Amino acid sequence: MLTVLKANLANKIASSLELPVEAIESGLETPKNKEFGQLAFPVFRYSKDKKMPPPKLAEQWAKVISELSVEEIDSVSSVSGFVNFQIKSSVLQNSVSDHLLARPNDFAEGVIGKGQKVIVDLSSPNVAKPMSIGHLRATVIGQAVVNLCRAQGFEVTALNHLGDWGTQFGKLAWAYQNWAAEYDFDKEPFESLFALYVRFHKEAEDNPELEKAGAETFKKLEDGDEEIVKLWKWFVEVSLEKYDEQFALLNVKHDKVLGESFYNDKLAPTVELLKQKGLLVESDGAMVVEMDDEKMPPCLITKSDGASLYATRDIASAMYRHEHLNGDRMLYVVGVEQTLHFRQVFEVLKKMGFSWVEESQHISFGMYRFKNMEKMSSRKGNVIRFADVIEKAISMVKEIIEQKNPELEDKDKVAKQVGVGAIVFNDLVNDRVKNVDFDWDQVLDFEGNSGPFVQYSNVRCLSLLRKAGVSEQDSVGFKAELTSFEERELMRLLLSFDQVLFDAYQHYKPHVLSSYLLDLCRQFSSFYSKQRILDAPEDEKASRLALARAVNMVLEKGLGILNIEAPAQM
Ligand code: ARG
């Protein structure tokens, strides 16, 4: 959108400045002070060549460009080494019409991903354990990354690498066989499973015999013992049912669930291949791939009893993702604490000669920090649960609605949309690599940097259109030229949306989009409070409603990419 304008402008002024068109096109940026215009061109790098101090050069170039009377430009000015362009309102408006209003279904989308497939590993919880806040992040960030990739034209497979294998399932099966009668599995199957898990680990602290019994039961599971396999399958089923409820709450959908156990029959061939390639070294009976040169500890492939490890399964899984799911690019949305694990896995794949591993990336993220609550281990049973946080958000929003807007229709539905949106937005508003300081006041601040604020801004756009009698099907268009600073700035922001989506995609950083949406909402507020809209003269009113519609379109699409719903009223 703005990129088209930049290209246009560059074409028209390049020869007079004796610069290549591309240099201008790529040099054009957003002015530091938005009052100066919508585009700025810094001249510093040319100052030496042209033997002129930057302010002087900018002044000269501004004069040269003014004399060209380029039809898109209202005025050109120079400020301390920058040439600033005020673009004609009519040009900005036409751009908003052509690129946004006229293309409700695919505006701002990119095509660079066409014909390529991305596999995104997201959520990936562990059977019989409640999803933690870490899994909430892996789910929320993961789904946003999925959506950002899709918006660039990539085909995406959202994959749940379910933690459904390991000695803990022997322990759980043993606990079930011995203690199940003490729990109410009919009423609370998932909670009961987790209770067994916690109890086993607690009792095993004082009774090492339990560890042995658990290991033996796991051996039975590995050997295909009918009864234990049946139990294990049921553990997985009960857990998936629970997770699906929570994914549904977040509107998250995996295209595939391939648990760690899916790779069981692929592990021996993987280990064999590692051996053939001469990468395996024995170390105290275990098999490892050494990583001294990479200054990393060795990557453990099989334990001394022959059992495989988390890394082994990830190696087999990566090969499967490339060979059978046809992934051109593999992304893993997993917490920062697994950085070493992924570096090792990628390094092993590289040593195996798989060049596609260059396209793999660990999309890591920081932790939540709740006031007075440290990160806790699920073995002890006192995790902060994903579902609890969301439920609390929904009930708090419900209270706010009861106070502020008790007449609202569909209160429960809206409370859910806003409560969930608040949690998701709060997660996505900061750079994912940073820790999140979780503060309820901020999460639910309807006027702050929050999801509810963005949703509410959208509701304001919709209510403006409704009050003006414009329905969703009605087309809107610009009639009068809107020349105020607030309006031009609003248009500049609207026309930057495609670039924002691209930037957010490029670094897999949803916060680039979230911060942009906040800027857009703030600019909309300033427009809304300074300009007459419904009681403006007809043509101006039409143009302002067109702006409101464009803002509504961008907010809805932006929220959609963050996987947040946009209620029509709240
Ligand atoms: N189940 C793991 C955990 O909860 C996350 C799995 C991430 N994906 C992977 N391919 N290793 O920590």
Side-chain angles (χ1 to χ4, degrees), residues 89-98 478 480-482 491 543:
S89 288
S90 58
V91 172
L92 294 171
Q93 290 176 188
N94 286 341
S95 232
V96 171
S97 291
D98 296 350
F478 292 96
E481 250 184 65
L482 303 175
M491 289 191 266
S543 290

Side-chain angles (χ1 to χ4, degrees), residues 25-305:
E25 211 178 322
S26 63
L28 282 167
E29 55 179 46
T30 306
K32 305 269 175 296
N33 179 342
K34 312 283 188 306
E35 306 262 359
F36 294 157
Q38 296 73 41
L39 292 173
F41 185 67
V43 308
F44 304 94
R45 63 161 74 173
Y46 305 105
S47 140
K48 205 168 152 208
D49 232 28
K50 305 276 176 190
K51 299 190 179 63
M52 229 183 269
K56 196 104 200 96
L57 182 60
E59 201 185 313
Q60 188 190 320
W61 277 354
K63 194 161 168 280
V64 172
I65 298 167
S66 290
E67 280 159 11
L68 290 174
S69 343
V70 176
E71 61 170 315
E72 283 87 353
I73 305 175
D74 231 357
S75 63
V76 190
S77 62
S78 72
V79 179
S80 32
F82 291 86
V83 182
N84 297 308
F85 300 87
Q86 286 282 1
I87 306 298
K88 282 204 181 112
S89 288
S90 58
V91 172
L92 294 171
Q93 290 176 188
N94 286 341
S95 232
V96 171
S97 291
D98 296 350
H99 298 291
L100 265 154
L101 298 173
R103 303 180 54 174
N105 300 317
D106 66 344
F107 66 96
E109 291 185 0
V111 292
I112 51 149
K114 284 266 174 322
Q116 287 186 72
K117 190 159 177 188
V118 184
I119 314 286
V120 182
D121 182 320
L122 71 157
S123 319
S124 306
N126 302 315
V127 164
K129 287 201 241 172
M131 282 199 264
S132 66
I133 281 293
H135 294 113
L136 172 69
R137 296 215 77 191
T139 304
V140 164
I141 297 170
Q143 186 66 49
V145 168
V146 166
N147 297 344
L148 283 168
C149 290
R150 289 199 174 127
Q152 296 303 323
F154 288 96
E155 187 189 336
V156 182
T157 297
L159 180 67
N160 181 353
H161 185 79
L162 187 70
D164 66 353
W165 201 250
T167 40
Q168 68 268 32
F169 296 101
K171 297 174 183 174
L172 197 60
W174 186 92
Y176 185 84
Q177 287 179 319
N178 288 276
W179 300 328
E182 297 168 47
Y183 298 83
D184 192 348
F185 272 88
D186 286 334
K187 198 164 152 240
E188 291 189 315
F190 184 80
E191 289 306 323
S192 304
L193 272 186
F194 182 53
L196 283 181
Y197 176 90
V198 173
R199 174 167 166 191
F200 186 97
H201 285 279
K202 196 156 176 287
E203 295 203 8
E205 276 173 23
D206 307 318
N207 181 1
E209 284 301 305
L210 282 189
E211 290 289 343
K212 232 179 93 198
E216 279 165 17
T217 316
F218 180 57
K219 182 87 179 65
K220 284 192 192 166
L221 176 59
E222 282 189 304
D223 294 342
D225 178 291
E226 215 171 293
E227 195 186 330
I228 307 293
V229 169
K230 204 171 137 204
L231 269 183
W232 167 77
K233 281 195 176 147
W234 179 70
F235 297 159
V236 172
E237 202 180 299
V238 166
S239 304
L240 276 178
E241 228 167 79
K242 187 74 181 179
Y243 303 147
D244 282 345
E245 267 172 40
Q246 299 176 355
F247 291 143
L249 204 56
L250 294 173
N251 298 313
V252 164
K253 260 189 103 66
H254 293 94
D255 301 300
K256 265 193 187 323
V257 181
L258 296 179
E260 293 190 34
S261 67
F262 175 78
Y263 303 97
N264 283 347
D265 63 355
K266 299 165 185 64
L267 297 177
T270 305
V271 174
E272 188 51 39
L273 190 62
L274 282 162
K275 203 179 284 168
Q276 270 173 29
K277 297 200 181 242
L279 293 169
L280 285 188
V281 176
E282 213 210 288
S283 160
D284 295 334
M287 292 304 231
V288 306
V289 176
E290 289 186 315
M291 308 223 148
D292 294 347
D293 292 349
E294 292 77 23
K295 300 198 171 54
M296 281 190 275
C299 181
L300 205 51
I301 302 294
T302 53
K303 290 195 219 168
S304 50
D305 62 2

